[in-house]
Coordinates of all heavy atoms in Angstrom, one line a residue:
M1 N -44.8 90.4 53.9 CA -44.0 90.6 52.7 C -44.5 91.9 52.1 O -45.7 92.2 52.0 CB -44.3 89.4 51.7 CG -43.5 89.6 50.4 SD -43.8 88.2 49.2 CE -43.2 86.8 50.0
S2 N -43.5 92.7 51.7 CA -43.9 94.0 51.1 C -44.4 93.8 49.7 O -44.2 92.7 49.1 CB -42.7 95.0 51.1 OG -41.7 94.5 50.1
R3 N -45.0 94.8 49.1 CA -45.4 94.8 47.7 C -44.3 94.5 46.8 O -44.4 93.7 45.8 CB -46.2 96.0 47.4 CG -46.8 96.0 46.0 CD -47.6 97.2 45.8 NE -48.2 97.2 44.5 CZ -49.1 98.0 44.0 NH1 -49.6 98.9 44.8 NH2 -49.6 97.8 42.8
K4 N -43.2 95.2 47.0 CA -42.0 95.0 46.2 C -41.5 93.6 46.2 O -41.2 93.0 45.2 CB -40.9 96.0 46.6 CG -39.7 95.9 45.7 CD -38.6 96.9 46.1 CE -37.4 96.8 45.1 NZ -36.4 97.8 45.4
Q5 N -41.4 93.0 47.4 CA -41.0 91.6 47.6 C -42.0 90.7 46.9 O -41.5 89.7 46.3 CB -40.9 91.3 49.1 CG -39.7 92.0 49.8 CD -39.8 91.8 51.3 OE1 -40.9 91.8 51.9 NE2 -38.6 91.5 51.9
A6 N -43.2 91.0 47.0 CA -44.2 90.1 46.4 C -44.1 90.1 44.9 O -44.2 89.1 44.2 CB -45.6 90.5 46.8
T7 N -43.8 91.3 44.3 CA -43.6 91.4 42.9 C -42.4 90.7 42.4 O -42.4 90.0 41.4 CB -43.5 92.9 42.5 OG1 -44.7 93.6 42.8 CG2 -43.3 93.1 41.0
E8 N -41.3 90.8 43.2 CA -40.1 90.1 42.8 C -40.3 88.6 42.9 O -39.8 87.9 42.0 CB -38.9 90.5 43.8 CG -38.4 91.9 43.6 CD -38.0 92.2 42.2 OE1 -37.2 91.4 41.6 OE2 -38.4 93.3 41.6
S9 N -41.0 88.1 43.9 CA -41.3 86.7 44.0 C -42.2 86.2 42.8 O -41.9 85.2 42.2 CB -42.0 86.5 45.3 OG -42.4 85.1 45.5
L10 N -43.2 87.0 42.5 CA -44.0 86.7 41.3 C -43.2 86.6 40.0 O -43.4 85.7 39.2 CB -45.2 87.7 41.2 CG -46.1 87.4 40.1 CD1 -46.9 86.1 40.3 CD2 -47.2 88.5 39.9
K11 N -42.3 87.5 39.8 CA -41.5 87.5 38.6 C -40.7 86.2 38.5 O -40.6 85.6 37.5 CB -40.5 88.7 38.6 CG -41.2 90.0 38.3 CD -40.3 91.2 38.0 CE -39.2 91.4 38.9 NZ -38.4 92.7 38.7
L12 N -40.1 85.8 39.6 CA -39.3 84.6 39.6 C -40.2 83.3 39.5 O -39.9 82.4 38.7 CB -38.5 84.5 40.9 CG -37.4 85.5 41.1 CD1 -36.8 85.4 42.5 CD2 -36.4 85.3 40.0
E13 N -41.4 83.3 40.1 CA -42.3 82.2 40.0 C -42.8 82.0 38.6 O -42.9 80.9 38.0 CB -43.4 82.3 41.0 CG -43.0 82.1 42.4 CD -44.1 82.5 43.4 OE1 -45.3 82.7 43.0 OE2 -43.8 82.7 44.6
V14 N -43.2 83.1 38.0 CA -43.7 83.1 36.6 C -42.6 82.7 35.7 O -42.8 81.8 34.8 CB -44.3 84.5 36.2 CG1 -44.6 84.5 34.7 CG2 -45.6 84.7 37.0
G15 N -41.4 83.2 35.9 CA -40.3 82.8 35.0 C -40.0 81.3 35.1 O -39.7 80.7 34.1
R16 N -40.1 80.8 36.3 CA -39.9 79.3 36.5 C -40.9 78.5 35.7 O -40.6 77.6 35.1 CB -39.9 79.0 38.0 CG -39.6 77.5 38.2 CD -39.5 77.2 39.7 NE -39.2 75.8 39.8 CZ -39.9 75.0 40.7 NH1 -40.9 75.5 41.4 NH2 -39.6 73.7 40.8
R17 N -42.2 79.0 35.8 CA -43.2 78.2 35.1 C -43.1 78.4 33.6 O -43.3 77.4 32.9 CB -44.6 78.8 35.6 CG -45.0 78.3 37.0 CD -46.4 78.5 37.4 NE -46.6 79.9 37.7 CZ -46.5 80.4 39.0 NH1 -46.1 79.7 40.0 NH2 -46.8 81.7 39.2
L18 N -42.6 79.5 33.1 CA -42.4 79.7 31.7 C -41.3 78.7 31.2 O -41.4 78.0 30.2 CB -42.0 81.1 31.4 CG -43.1 82.1 31.4 CD1 -42.5 83.5 31.3 CD2 -44.1 81.9 30.3
R19 N -40.2 78.6 32.0 CA -39.1 77.8 31.6 C -39.5 76.3 31.6 O -39.3 75.6 30.7 CB -38.0 78.0 32.6 CG -36.7 77.1 32.4 CD -35.6 77.4 33.4 NE -34.4 76.7 33.5 CZ -33.9 75.7 32.7 NH1 -34.6 75.2 31.7 NH2 -32.8 75.1 33.0
V20 N -40.2 75.9 32.7 CA -40.7 74.5 32.8 C -41.6 74.2 31.6 O -41.5 73.1 31.0 CB -41.4 74.3 34.1 CG1 -42.2 73.0 34.2 CG2 -40.3 74.2 35.2
T21 N -42.5 75.1 31.3 CA -43.5 74.9 30.2 C -42.7 74.7 28.9 O -43.0 73.8 28.1 CB -44.5 76.0 30.1 OG1 -45.2 76.1 31.4 CG2 -45.5 75.8 29.0
R22 N -41.8 75.6 28.6 CA -41.0 75.6 27.4 C -40.3 74.3 27.3 O -40.2 73.6 26.2 CB -40.0 76.8 27.4 CG -39.2 76.8 26.2 CD -38.3 78.0 26.2 NE -37.4 78.1 27.3 CZ -36.3 77.4 27.5 NH1 -35.9 76.5 26.6 NH2 -35.5 77.5 28.5
L23 N -39.6 73.8 28.4 CA -38.9 72.6 28.4 C -39.8 71.4 28.1 O -39.5 70.5 27.4 CB -38.1 72.4 29.7 CG -37.0 73.4 29.9 CD1 -36.4 73.2 31.3 CD2 -35.9 73.2 28.8
A24 N -41.0 71.5 28.8 CA -42.0 70.4 28.6 C -42.4 70.3 27.1 O -42.7 69.2 26.6 CB -43.2 70.6 29.5
L25 N -42.5 71.4 26.4 CA -42.8 71.4 25.0 C -41.6 71.2 24.1 O -41.8 71.0 22.9 CB -43.5 72.8 24.6 CG -44.8 73.0 25.3 CD1 -45.2 74.5 25.1 CD2 -45.9 72.1 24.8
G26 N -40.4 71.1 24.7 CA -39.2 70.8 23.9 C -38.8 71.9 23.0 O -38.3 71.6 21.9
L27 N -39.0 73.1 23.4 CA -38.7 74.3 22.6 C -37.5 75.1 23.1 O -37.4 75.2 24.4 CB -39.9 75.2 22.4 CG -41.1 74.6 21.7 CD1 -42.3 75.5 21.8 CD2 -40.8 74.2 20.3
Q28 N -36.8 75.7 22.2 CA -35.8 76.7 22.7 C -36.5 78.0 23.0 O -37.6 78.2 22.5 CB -34.8 76.9 21.5 CG -33.9 75.7 21.2 CD -33.0 75.3 22.4 OE1 -32.4 76.1 23.0 NE2 -33.0 74.0 22.6
Q29 N -35.8 78.9 23.7 CA -36.5 80.2 24.1 C -36.9 81.0 22.8 O -38.1 81.5 22.8 CB -35.5 81.1 24.8 CG -35.4 80.8 26.3 CD -34.6 81.8 27.1 OE1 -34.1 82.8 26.5 NE2 -34.6 81.7 28.4
N30 N -36.1 81.0 21.8 CA -36.4 81.9 20.7 C -37.7 81.3 19.9 O -38.5 82.1 19.5 CB -35.3 82.0 19.7 CG -34.7 80.7 19.2 OD1 -35.0 79.7 19.7 ND2 -33.9 80.8 18.1
E31 N -37.8 80.0 19.8 CA -39.0 79.4 19.2 C -40.2 79.6 20.0 O -41.3 79.9 19.5 CB -38.7 77.9 18.9 CG -39.9 77.3 18.1 CD -40.1 77.9 16.7 OE1 -39.2 78.5 16.1 OE2 -41.3 77.8 16.3
F32 N -40.1 79.4 21.3 CA -41.3 79.6 22.2 C -41.8 81.0 22.1 O -43.0 81.2 22.0 CB -40.8 79.2 23.6 CG -41.9 79.1 24.6 CD1 -42.7 78.0 24.7 CD2 -42.2 80.1 25.6 CE1 -43.7 77.8 25.6 CE2 -43.2 80.0 26.5 CZ -43.9 78.8 26.5
A33 N -40.9 81.9 22.1 CA -41.2 83.4 22.0 C -41.8 83.7 20.6 O -42.8 84.4 20.5 CB -40.0 84.2 22.3
K34 N -41.2 83.2 19.6 CA -41.6 83.5 18.2 C -43.0 83.1 18.0 O -43.8 83.8 17.3 CB -40.6 82.8 17.2 CG -40.9 83.1 15.8 CD -39.9 82.4 14.9 CE -40.2 82.7 13.4 NZ -39.3 82.0 12.5
R35 N -43.4 81.9 18.4 CA -44.7 81.4 18.2 C -45.8 82.3 18.8 O -46.9 82.3 18.4 CB -44.8 80.0 18.7 CG -44.1 79.0 17.9 CD -44.2 77.6 18.4 NE -43.4 76.6 17.6 CZ -43.4 75.3 17.8 NH1 -44.3 74.8 18.7 NH2 -42.6 74.6 17.1
A36 N -45.4 83.0 19.9 CA -46.3 84.0 20.5 C -46.1 85.4 20.0 O -46.7 86.3 20.6 CB -46.1 83.9 22.0
D37 N -45.2 85.6 19.0 CA -44.9 86.9 18.5 C -44.4 87.8 19.6 O -44.8 89.0 19.7 CB -46.1 87.5 17.8 CG -45.8 88.6 16.8 OD1 -44.6 88.6 16.3 OD2 -46.6 89.5 16.6
I38 N -43.5 87.3 20.4 CA -42.8 88.1 21.4 C -41.3 88.1 21.1 O -40.7 87.1 20.7 CB -43.0 87.4 22.8 CG1 -44.5 87.4 23.2 CG2 -42.2 88.1 23.9 CD1 -44.8 86.6 24.5
A39 N -40.7 89.3 21.2 CA -39.3 89.4 20.9 C -38.5 88.4 21.9 O -38.8 88.3 23.0 CB -38.8 90.8 21.1
A40 N -37.5 87.8 21.3 CA -36.7 86.8 22.1 C -36.1 87.4 23.3 O -36.1 86.8 24.4 CB -35.7 86.1 21.2
N41 N -35.5 88.6 23.2 CA -34.9 89.3 24.4 C -35.9 89.6 25.4 O -35.6 89.5 26.6 CB -34.1 90.5 24.0 CG -34.9 91.6 23.3 OD1 -35.9 91.3 22.7 ND2 -34.4 92.8 23.4
T42 N -37.1 90.0 25.0 CA -38.2 90.3 26.0 C -38.6 89.0 26.7 O -38.7 89.0 28.0 CB -39.4 90.9 25.3 OG1 -39.0 92.1 24.7 CG2 -40.5 91.2 26.3
Y43 N -38.8 88.0 26.0 CA -39.2 86.7 26.6 C -38.1 86.2 27.5 O -38.4 85.7 28.6 CB -39.4 85.6 25.5 CG -39.7 84.3 26.2 CD1 -40.9 84.0 26.8 CD2 -38.6 83.4 26.4 CE1 -41.1 82.9 27.5 CE2 -38.8 82.2 27.1 CZ -40.1 81.9 27.6 OH -40.3 80.8 28.3
S44 N -36.8 86.4 27.2 CA -35.7 85.9 28.0 C -35.8 86.6 29.4 O -35.5 86.0 30.4 CB -34.4 86.2 27.3 OG -33.3 85.9 28.2
M45 N -36.1 87.9 29.4 CA -36.3 88.7 30.6 C -37.4 88.1 31.5 O -37.3 88.1 32.7 CB -36.4 90.2 30.4 CG -35.1 90.8 29.8 SD -35.2 92.6 29.8 CE -36.3 92.8 28.4
Y46 N -38.5 87.7 30.8 CA -39.6 87.1 31.5 C -39.2 85.8 32.2 O -39.4 85.6 33.4 CB -40.8 86.8 30.6 CG -41.5 88.0 30.0 CD1 -42.1 87.9 28.7 CD2 -41.6 89.2 30.6 CE1 -42.8 88.9 28.1 CE2 -42.3 90.3 30.0 CZ -42.9 90.1 28.8 OH -43.5 91.1 28.2
E47 N -38.6 85.0 31.4 CA -38.2 83.7 31.9 C -37.1 83.7 33.0 O -37.1 82.9 34.0 CB -37.7 82.8 30.8 CG -37.5 81.3 31.2 CD -37.1 80.4 30.1 OE1 -37.9 80.3 29.1 OE2 -36.1 79.7 30.2
S48 N -36.2 84.7 32.9 CA -35.2 84.8 34.0 C -35.7 85.5 35.2 O -35.0 85.6 36.2 CB -34.0 85.6 33.4 OG -34.3 86.9 33.1
G49 N -36.9 86.1 35.2 CA -37.4 86.8 36.3 C -37.0 88.2 36.4 O -37.2 88.9 37.4
D50 N -36.3 88.7 35.3 CA -35.9 90.1 35.3 C -37.0 91.1 35.0 O -36.9 92.3 35.3 CB -34.8 90.3 34.3 CG -33.5 89.6 34.7 OD1 -33.2 89.4 35.9 OD2 -32.7 89.2 33.8
R51 N -38.1 90.6 34.5 CA -39.2 91.5 34.1 C -40.5 90.7 34.3 O -40.6 89.5 34.0 CB -39.0 91.8 32.6 CG -40.0 92.8 32.1 CD -39.6 93.2 30.7 NE -40.6 94.0 30.1 CZ -40.6 94.5 28.8 NH1 -39.6 94.1 28.0 NH2 -41.5 95.2 28.4
L52 N -41.5 91.4 34.8 CA -42.8 90.8 35.1 C -43.5 90.6 33.7 O -43.6 91.5 32.9 CB -43.6 91.6 36.0 CG -45.0 91.0 36.4 CD1 -44.8 89.6 37.1 CD2 -45.7 91.9 37.4
L53 N -44.0 89.4 33.5 CA -44.8 89.1 32.3 C -46.0 90.0 32.2 O -46.8 90.1 33.2 CB -45.3 87.6 32.4 CG -46.1 87.0 31.3 CD1 -45.2 87.0 30.0 CD2 -46.6 85.7 31.6
T54 N -46.2 90.6 31.1 CA -47.3 91.5 30.9 C -48.6 90.7 30.6 O -48.4 89.5 30.1 CB -47.1 92.5 29.8 OG1 -47.0 91.8 28.5 CG2 -45.8 93.4 30.0
V55 N -49.7 91.3 30.8 CA -51.0 90.6 30.4 C -51.0 90.3 28.9 O -51.4 89.2 28.5 CB -52.2 91.4 30.9 CG1 -53.5 90.8 30.3 CG2 -52.2 91.5 32.4
E56 N -50.6 91.3 28.1 CA -50.6 91.1 26.7 C -49.7 89.9 26.2 O -50.1 89.1 25.4 CB -50.2 92.4 25.9 CG -51.1 93.5 26.1 CD -50.9 94.3 27.4 OE1 -49.9 94.0 28.2 OE2 -51.7 95.2 27.7
S57 N -48.5 89.8 26.8 CA -47.6 88.7 26.4 C -48.1 87.4 27.0 O -48.0 86.4 26.3 CB -46.2 89.0 27.0 OG -45.6 90.1 26.3
A58 N -48.7 87.4 28.2 CA -49.3 86.2 28.8 C -50.4 85.7 27.9 O -50.5 84.5 27.6 CB -49.8 86.5 30.2
L59 N -51.3 86.6 27.4 CA -52.4 86.1 26.5 C -51.8 85.6 25.2 O -52.3 84.6 24.7 CB -53.3 87.3 26.2 CG -54.2 87.8 27.4 CD1 -54.9 89.1 27.1 CD2 -55.2 86.7 27.8
A60 N -50.8 86.2 24.7 CA -50.2 85.7 23.4 C -49.6 84.3 23.7 O -49.7 83.4 22.8 CB -49.1 86.6 22.9
L61 N -48.9 84.1 24.8 CA -48.3 82.8 25.1 C -49.4 81.7 25.3 O -49.3 80.6 24.9 CB -47.5 82.9 26.4 CG -46.1 83.6 26.2 CD1 -45.5 84.0 27.5 CD2 -45.2 82.7 25.4
C62 N -50.5 82.1 26.0 CA -51.6 81.2 26.2 C -52.2 80.8 24.9 O -52.5 79.6 24.7 CB -52.7 81.9 27.1 SG -52.3 82.1 28.8
S63 N -52.4 81.7 24.0 CA -53.0 81.4 22.7 C -52.0 80.5 21.9 O -52.5 79.5 21.2 CB -53.3 82.7 21.9 OG -53.8 82.4 20.7
A64 N -50.8 80.8 21.9 CA -49.8 80.1 21.0 C -49.5 78.7 21.6 O -49.2 77.8 20.8 CB -48.5 80.9 21.0
H65 N -49.6 78.5 22.9 CA -49.1 77.2 23.5 C -50.2 76.5 24.3 O -49.9 75.6 25.1 CB -47.9 77.5 24.3 CG -46.8 78.1 23.6 ND1 -46.0 77.3 22.6 CD2 -46.2 79.3 23.6 CE1 -45.1 78.1 22.1 NE2 -45.2 79.3 22.7
S66 N -51.5 76.9 24.2 CA -52.6 76.3 24.9 C -52.3 76.3 26.4 O -52.6 75.3 27.1 CB -52.8 74.8 24.5 OG -53.1 74.8 23.1
L67 N -51.9 77.5 26.9 CA -51.7 77.7 28.3 C -52.8 78.4 28.9 O -53.8 78.8 28.2 CB -50.4 78.5 28.5 CG -49.1 77.9 27.9 CD1 -47.9 78.9 28.1 CD2 -48.8 76.5 28.3
T68 N -52.8 78.6 30.2 CA -53.8 79.3 30.9 C -53.2 80.4 31.8 O -52.0 80.3 32.2 CB -54.7 78.4 31.8 OG1 -53.9 77.9 32.9 CG2 -55.3 77.3 31.1
M69 N -53.9 81.5 32.0 CA -53.5 82.5 32.9 C -53.3 82.0 34.3 O -52.4 82.4 35.0 CB -54.4 83.7 32.9 CG -54.6 84.4 31.5 SD -53.1 85.2 31.0 CE -53.5 86.9 31.6
D70 N -54.2 81.1 34.7 CA -54.0 80.4 36.1 C -52.7 79.7 36.2 O -52.1 79.8 37.3 CB -55.2 79.5 36.3 CG -56.4 80.1 37.0 OD1 -56.2 81.2 37.5 OD2 -57.4 79.4 37.0
W71 N -52.3 79.1 35.2 CA -51.0 78.4 35.2 C -49.8 79.4 35.3 O -49.0 79.3 36.1 CB -50.8 77.4 34.0 CG -49.4 77.0 33.9 CD1 -48.5 77.2 32.9 CD2 -48.6 76.2 34.8 NE1 -47.3 76.7 33.1 CE2 -47.3 76.1 34.3 CE3 -48.9 75.7 36.1 CZ2 -46.3 75.4 35.0 CZ3 -47.9 75.0 36.8 CH2 -46.6 74.8 36.2
L72 N -49.9 80.4 34.4 CA -48.7 81.3 34.3 C -48.6 82.1 35.6 O -47.5 82.3 36.1 CB -48.9 82.2 33.1 CG -48.8 81.6 31.8 CD1 -49.0 82.6 30.7 CD2 -47.4 80.9 31.6
F73 N -49.7 82.7 36.1 CA -49.6 83.6 37.2 C -49.9 83.0 38.6 O -49.4 83.5 39.6 CB -50.6 84.8 37.0 CG -50.1 85.7 36.0 CD1 -50.7 85.7 34.7 CD2 -49.1 86.6 36.2 CE1 -50.3 86.6 33.7 CE2 -48.6 87.5 35.2 CZ -49.2 87.4 34.0
R74 N -50.6 81.9 38.7 CA -50.9 81.3 40.0 C -50.4 79.9 40.2 O -50.4 79.3 41.3 CB -52.5 81.2 40.1 CG -53.1 82.7 40.1 CD -54.6 82.7 40.1 NE -55.1 82.0 41.3 CZ -56.3 81.5 41.4 NH1 -57.1 81.6 40.3 NH2 -56.7 80.9 42.5
G75 N -49.8 79.3 39.1 CA -49.2 78.0 39.2 C -50.3 76.8 39.3 O -50.0 75.8 39.8
I76 N -51.5 77.1 38.8 CA -52.5 76.0 38.8 C -52.6 75.4 37.4 O -53.0 76.0 36.5 CB -53.9 76.7 39.2 CG1 -53.8 77.3 40.6 CG2 -55.0 75.6 39.1 CD1 -55.0 78.2 40.9
P77 N -52.1 74.1 37.3 CA -52.0 73.5 36.0 C -53.3 72.8 35.6 O -53.3 72.2 34.5 CB -50.9 72.5 36.2 CG -51.0 72.1 37.7 CD -51.5 73.3 38.4
G78 N -54.4 72.8 36.4 CA -55.5 72.0 36.1 C -56.2 72.1 34.8 O -56.7 71.1 34.3
D79 N -56.2 73.3 34.1 CA -56.8 73.4 32.8 C -55.9 73.3 31.6 O -56.3 73.6 30.5 CB -57.6 74.7 32.8 CG -58.8 74.7 33.7 OD1 -59.4 73.6 33.9 OD2 -59.3 75.8 34.2
L80 N -54.6 72.9 31.9 CA -53.7 72.7 30.8 C -54.1 71.4 30.1 O -54.7 70.5 30.7 CB -52.3 72.6 31.3 CG -51.6 73.9 31.9 CD1 -50.3 73.5 32.5 CD2 -51.5 75.0 30.9
P81 N -53.7 71.3 28.8 CA -53.9 70.0 28.1 C -53.3 68.9 28.9 O -52.2 69.1 29.5 CB -53.2 70.2 26.8 CG -53.3 71.7 26.5 CD -53.1 72.3 27.9
H82 N -53.9 67.8 29.0 CA -53.5 66.7 29.9 C -52.0 66.3 29.8 O -51.3 66.3 30.8 CB -54.4 65.4 29.6 CG -54.1 64.3 30.5 ND1 -54.5 64.3 31.8 CD2 -53.4 63.1 30.3 CE1 -54.1 63.2 32.4 NE2 -53.4 62.4 31.5
K83 N -51.5 66.1 28.6 CA -50.1 65.7 28.4 C -49.2 66.8 28.9 O -48.2 66.5 29.6 CB -49.9 65.4 27.0 CG -48.5 64.8 26.7 CD -48.4 64.4 25.2 CE -47.0 63.9 24.9 NZ -46.8 63.6 23.5
L84 N -49.5 68.1 28.6 CA -48.6 69.2 29.0 C -48.7 69.4 30.5 O -47.7 69.6 31.2 CB -49.1 70.5 28.3 CG -48.3 71.7 28.7 CD1 -46.8 71.6 28.4 CD2 -48.9 72.9 27.9
G85 N -49.9 69.3 31.1 CA -50.1 69.4 32.5 C -49.2 68.3 33.3 O -48.6 68.7 34.3
N86 N -49.3 67.1 32.8 CA -48.5 66.1 33.5 C -47.0 66.4 33.3 O -46.2 66.1 34.3 CB -48.8 64.7 32.9 CG -50.1 64.2 33.3 OD1 -50.7 64.6 34.3 ND2 -50.7 63.2 32.5
A87 N -46.6 66.8 32.2 CA -45.1 67.1 32.0 C -44.7 68.3 32.8 O -43.6 68.2 33.4 CB -44.9 67.4 30.5
V88 N -45.4 69.3 32.9 CA -45.0 70.5 33.8 C -45.0 70.1 35.2 O -44.1 70.5 36.0 CB -45.8 71.8 33.5 CG1 -45.6 72.2 32.1 CG2 -47.2 71.7 33.9
I89 N -45.9 69.3 35.7 CA -45.9 68.9 37.1 C -44.7 68.1 37.4 O -44.0 68.2 38.4 CB -47.2 68.1 37.4 CG1 -48.4 69.1 37.4 CG2 -47.1 67.4 38.7 CD1 -49.8 68.4 37.5
A90 N -44.3 67.1 36.5 CA -43.2 66.3 36.7 C -41.9 67.2 36.7 O -41.0 67.0 37.5 CB -43.1 65.3 35.6
L91 N -41.8 68.1 35.8 CA -40.6 69.0 35.8 C -40.5 69.9 37.0 O -39.5 70.2 37.5 CB -40.6 69.8 34.5 CG -40.2 69.1 33.2 CD1 -40.4 69.9 32.0 CD2 -38.7 68.7 33.3
M92 N -41.7 70.4 37.4 CA -41.7 71.3 38.6 C -41.2 70.5 39.8 O -40.5 71.1 40.7 CB -43.1 71.8 38.9 CG -43.6 72.8 37.9 SD -42.7 74.4 37.8 CE -43.4 75.2 39.2
D93 N -41.5 69.2 39.9 CA -41.0 68.4 41.0 C -39.5 68.2 41.0 O -38.8 68.0 42.0 CB -41.7 67.1 41.0 CG -43.2 67.2 41.5 OD1 -43.5 68.2 42.1 OD2 -43.9 66.2 41.1
V94 N -38.9 68.2 39.8 CA -37.5 67.9 39.6 C -36.7 69.2 39.8 O -35.6 69.1 40.4 CB -37.2 67.3 38.2 CG1 -35.8 67.3 37.9 CG2 -37.9 66.0 38.0
Q95 N -37.2 70.3 39.3 CA -36.4 71.5 39.4 C -36.6 72.3 40.6 O -37.4 72.4 41.3 CB -36.7 72.4 38.2 CG -36.3 71.7 36.9 CD -36.4 72.6 35.7 OE1 -36.7 73.7 35.8 NE2 -36.0 72.0 34.6

């Protein structure tokens, strides 16, 4: 896989995890983004996989929603709060 292909794949995978997490928390895109002080249109591009999540935005999302960088970038839900971890795992299996 080329570096460009790997980046495109990562954008889509991170976007999917963002969407699943947001749904697990029962939030609309604008509220999920607002709580992390991210512009709604920027967040929308992250979630759709049109733009790679920046480290700064990832840290803001982690802080606002009790997420981890391992979850966002690597898909490892182990250190998420128990209830959220179970919800995202269930949603990942469905979607």
Side-chain angles (χ1 to χ4, degrees):
M1 179 181 298
S2 73
R3 185 175 179 170
K4 183 177 180 177
Q5 290 171 319
T7 299
E8 291 302 312
S9 178
L10 181 62
K11 289 191 308 189
L12 293 173
E13 291 169 13
V14 169
R16 180 172 181 233
R17 287 190 284 271
L18 287 170
R19 180 177 173 6
V20 164
T21 302
R22 178 179 59 76
L23 293 173
L25 293 170
L27 298 172
Q28 297 294 318
Q29 276 190 356
N30 61 343
E31 184 60 28
F32 192 76
K34 182 179 178 181
R35 290 182 184 186
D37 199 27
I38 298 172
N41 61 334
T42 300
Y43 175 79
S44 178
M45 289 189 289
Y46 295 148
E47 190 174 303
S48 66
D50 291 332
R51 185 172 175 184
L52 184 59
L53 180 64
T54 65
V55 171
E56 294 83 4
S57 291
L59 289 170
L61 288 164
C62 287
S63 179
H65 300 291
S66 299
L67 307 178
T68 65
M69 297 292 267
D70 270 346
W71 166 243
L72 293 177
F73 288 104
R74 298 173 61 201
I76 300 171
D79 289 332
L80 293 175
H82 184 71
K83 185 176 178 182
L84 178 58
N86 287 341
V88 298
I89 290 169
L91 284 170
M92 291 295 279
D93 289 341
V94 171
Q95 296 192 357

